[in-house]
Amino acid sequence: MSTGAMLNRGLDLCEADLVAIMDPRDVYGSHYLADLRRAFLFSTADIVGKASYYAHLRGAHATLLKQPESEYTYTPEVNGATLLARRNALRAIGFADLTEGWDEVLMRQCRTDGIKVFSADRFGYVRVRDEDRWLLGAAHLVEYGSAEPHALI
């Protein structure tokens, strides 16, 4: 099964009003979901997540910050591994039957359907990859070292 197909299957099994998508490769703070859930209290979004976040590239041992200007704002997209969404909104959209790029397709569908997406703060989450050329070109270098002291405060 593709990642999108598995997410659709998981969505069918959910009973909660809010549904989170997380990536086992990444690091999440102990209060990550509670903090992200608060964004629903002051936004009118159906999907919240992080467009601004820290990333750690193991190969270069580099900590990067992506889109620092995207905190606390409505945005065209958030990182798929940071989604917290209203179940009914996700069910209406559905996930594309893809393993790579399912989140890009989902965000494009949100823009098409007028579904509001809100980016919370940069804290509580670290995207972890061995290397990522796209991220290197799209983020600011913070330091050579661990991202956790910056992100998990």
Side-chain angles (χ1 to χ4, degrees), residues 11-41:
L11 193 56
D12 289 341
L13 298 172
C14 286
E15 296 178 5
D17 292 331
L18 297 177
V19 176
I21 298 175
M22 301 170 82
D23 190 318
R25 298 173 291 182
D26 298 339
V27 176
Y28 297 86
S30 58
H31 303 287
Y32 170 78
L33 287 174
D35 290 344
L36 204 55
R37 190 183 78 216
R38 285 188 190 99
F40 285 106
L41 298 175

Side-chain angles (χ1 to χ4, degrees), residues 38-48 74 86 118:
R38 285 188 190 99
F40 285 106
L41 298 175
F42 55 83
S43 76
T44 58
D46 286 316
I47 297 175
V48 300
Y74 292 94
R86 297 187 192 284
F118 186 82

